[in-house]
DNA sequence: CGGCGGTACTG
DNA sequence: CAGTAC
DNA sequence: GCCG
């Protein structure tokens, strides 16, 4: 697949929910607001509109017909990942993604097997879930203390399987242990501090609020900036694991000078509360990873990524960062 | 069987 | 360099 | 785990 105007170097792929250990609730409301406002922008050249037509997922909310199946498989995927069985976990994750996009309830082993990404072993498991409502393998693999602890530790941002295992063999079992005795990297300290918030799903309504907040700040810096949330939000999911904000400017130049001023502005207002990676350069893209919180009482801390791209890479970047099913084939 | 994304940051 | 995240 |  090629996108003509610019070379697409270093585009990041985001195949599915990053929070593999969490599950979405289903349902509800589609957002026409952003799409609506988007169509009204008159300065979009037509070739870019065409790309958007490809890039834009259907406006409909994505239904999760096989939630009972993916929820069970997610448990195994997370357990395998925590045990450093990464390729097995990847196989599970691909199958889960495929099943999640499957447009109707799966009722048989054969039907499962017809889905690309689901092989014989997983089709057996799907069949067991369809028949009994659960997987015995989950009890076997996930319910021992080690598996539970490893997964708890991997919920700390910046801690992967190796770190989690290291903590485990040092005798740590709880987050309290980590706070008191573990030596954590700066990333992990932040990840621990906001553990509960960061590991909760974000309602898409709140994602929209965050998008608007960032957009307002951006427009205070430079008029005409385009601010758009990608990721699972853009795929129509009811909840998201984090917020992926893509920023560009139609004049093809302004994106170069916007990155730091925008972040500074968001810091000044107290919206950005912690930085994880302050600048990751990818060709002419710039990426920020951090933590934000909307103003007001009772708001949660949320993981926020900001990516600034040149205009010519905007549409394809939106596709990459959205990671649509279309793109996985 | 071997390959499974490729890159940038942190320490 | 290994580990991690995107 | 799955795929080619």
């Amino acid at each position: 697949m090629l996108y003509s105007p610019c070379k697409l170097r270093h585009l990041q792929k985001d195949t599915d929910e990053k929070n593999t250990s969490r599950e979405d609730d289903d349902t509800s409301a589609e957002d026409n607001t952003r799409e609506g406002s988007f169509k009204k922008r008159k300065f979009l050249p037509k070739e870019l509109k065409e790309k958007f037509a490809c890039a834009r997922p259907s406006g409909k909310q994505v239904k999760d017909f096989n939630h009972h199946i993916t929820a069970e498989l997610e448990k195994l995927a997370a357990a395998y990942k925590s045990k450093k069985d990464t390729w097995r976990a990847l196989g599970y994750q691909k199958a889960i993604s495929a099943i999640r996009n499957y447009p109707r309830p799966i009722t048989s082993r054969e039907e499962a097997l017809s889905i690309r990404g689901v092989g014989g072993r997983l089709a057996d498991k799907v069949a067991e879930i369809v028949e009994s409502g659960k997987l015995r393998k989950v009890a076997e693999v996930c319910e021992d203390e080690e598996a539970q602890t490893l997964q708890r530790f991997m919920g700390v941002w910046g801690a992967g399987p190796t770190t989690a295992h290291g903590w485990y063999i040092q005798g740590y079992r709880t987050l309290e242990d980590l706070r008191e005795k573990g030596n954590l990297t700066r990333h992990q300290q932040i990840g621990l501090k906001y553990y509960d918030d960061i590991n909760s799903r974000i309602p898409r309504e709140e994602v929209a609020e965050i998008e608007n907040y960032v957009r307002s700040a951006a427009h205070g810096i430079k008029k005409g900036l385009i601010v758009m949330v990608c990721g699972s939000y853009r795929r129509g999911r009811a909840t998201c694991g984090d917020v992926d904000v893509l920023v560009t400017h139609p004049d093809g130049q302004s994106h170069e000078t916007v990155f730091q001023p925008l972040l500074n502005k968001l810091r000044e207002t107290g919206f950005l509360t912690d930085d994880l990676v302050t600048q990751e350069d990818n060709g002419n893209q710039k990426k920020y990873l951090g933590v934000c919180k909307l103003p007001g009482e009772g708001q949660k801390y949320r993981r926020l990524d900001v990516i600034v791209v040149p205009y010519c890479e905007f549409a394809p970047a939106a596709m990459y960062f959205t990671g649509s099913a279309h793109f996985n084939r």
Side-chain angles (χ1 to χ4, degrees):
Chain A
M1 273 178 211
L2 272 240
Y3 309 93
S4 30
C6 279
K7 274 158 225 141
L8 310 176
R9 304 183 301 158
H10 318 307
L11 282 170
Q12 174 179 343
K13 187 162 105 191
D14 174 16
T15 49
D16 218 284
E17 262 63 336
K18 356 212 134 180
N19 239 333
T20 60
S21 55
R22 302 276 175 259
E23 269 308 303
D24 278 8
D25 345 321
D26 24 31
T27 67
S28 83
E30 80 197 47
D31 70 318
N32 308 326
T33 54
R34 182 183 43 71
E35 299 285 354
S37 65
F38 222 105
K39 277 179 207 150
K40 285 176 188 135
R41 297 202 175 273
K42 46 210 167 224
F43 48 76
L44 287 179
K46 76 165 187 298
E47 77 276 9
L48 202 60
K49 276 192 193 156
E50 285 163 15
K51 279 195 218 124
F52 281 144
C54 312
R56 180 170 44 232
S58 76
K60 294 297 160 219
Q61 187 81 207
V62 180
K63 259 285 181 186
D64 211 357
F65 293 100
N66 297 286
H67 184 87
H68 53 305
I69 296 173
T70 54
E72 208 65 3
L73 296 181
E74 283 278 8
K75 297 176 192 171
L76 282 182
Y80 285 130
K81 185 181 178 189
S82 77
K83 295 178 177 175
K84 301 194 193 184
D85 197 344
T86 49
W87 300 127
R88 190 180 310 270
L90 177 67
Y92 271 75
Q93 208 50 63
K94 290 238 163 108
I96 289 164
S97 182
I99 291 171
R100 188 176 282 143
N101 288 333
Y102 193 69
R104 56 188 173 275
I106 301 170
T107 60
S108 69
R109 178 187 191 279
E110 183 183 274
E111 186 175 9
L113 200 49
S114 75
I115 302 172
R116 147 98 117 117
V118 179
R121 312 278 305 271
L122 275 168
D124 287 340
K125 293 181 173 64
V126 169
E128 183 184 334
I129 297 168
V130 165
E131 290 163 20
S132 76
K134 63 186 193 60
L135 255 186
R136 290 158 301 170
K137 186 96 179 170
V138 168
E140 177 190 323
V141 175
C142 306
E143 288 172 8
D144 59 295
E145 188 201 30
E146 175 166 1
Q148 302 266 312
T149 306
L150 291 179
Q151 290 180 65
R152 184 178 315 125
F153 287 170
M154 281 208 301
V156 176
W157 200 93
T162 301
T163 304
H165 182 253
W167 286 335
Y168 186 81
I169 61 181
Q170 290 187 53
Y172 306 151
R173 294 294 182 271
T174 66
L175 300 180
E176 192 71 1
D177 290 339
L178 298 185
R179 196 173 59 74
E180 294 167 355
K181 304 174 279 186
N183 44 332
L184 312 195
T185 67
R186 193 183 64 84
H187 286 170
Q188 291 157 357
Q189 291 173 28
I190 295 169
L192 182 58
K193 182 165 145 199
Y194 303 122
Y195 188 90
D196 289 332
D197 282 0
I198 285 181
N199 285 296
S200 346
R201 306 285 305 180
I202 314 171
R204 63 178 291 111
E205 295 74 25
E206 185 180 339
V207 177
E209 286 184 57
I210 291 173
E211 178 181 45
N212 288 331
Y213 192 97
V214 175
R215 183 178 292 128
S216 298
H219 288 169
I221 290 181
K222 176 81 185 172
K223 188 167 156 45
L225 279 171
I226 297 175
V227 174
M228 175 183 186
V229 176
C230 299
S232 45
Y233 176 79
R234 196 154 174 277
R235 290 200 307 274
R237 309 283 299 175
T239 67
C240 308
D242 61 9
V243 183
D244 238 334
V245 178
L246 201 55
V247 179
T248 192
H249 196 288
D251 69 10
Q253 305 277 43
S254 299
H255 68 277
E256 295 170 9
T257 55
V258 152
F259 189 71
Q260 289 302 337
L262 176 58
L263 296 179
N264 287 335
K265 179 151 200 160
L266 292 172
R267 284 189 189 103
E268 285 167 20
T269 61
F271 177 71
L272 290 181
T273 63
D274 298 83
D275 300 330
L276 290 165
V277 177
T278 52
Q279 181 162 356
E280 189 166 308
D281 271 308
N282 240 323
N284 33 22
Q285 299 184 11
K286 291 187 189 310
K287 180 162 63 174
Y288 165 89
L289 314 179
V291 180
C292 72
K293 184 167 74 68
L294 285 166
E297 286 302 298
Q299 293 288 355
K300 291 189 172 183
Y301 293 85
R302 304 299 196 184
R303 275 275 302 106
L304 175 73
D305 296 352
V306 178
I307 305 111
V308 178
V309 302
Y311 192 53
C312 59
E313 290 183 10
F314 181 50
M319 290 184 63
Y320 273 88
F321 289 117
T322 299
S324 68
H326 179 88
F327 208 68
N328 280 345
R329 312 197 254 249

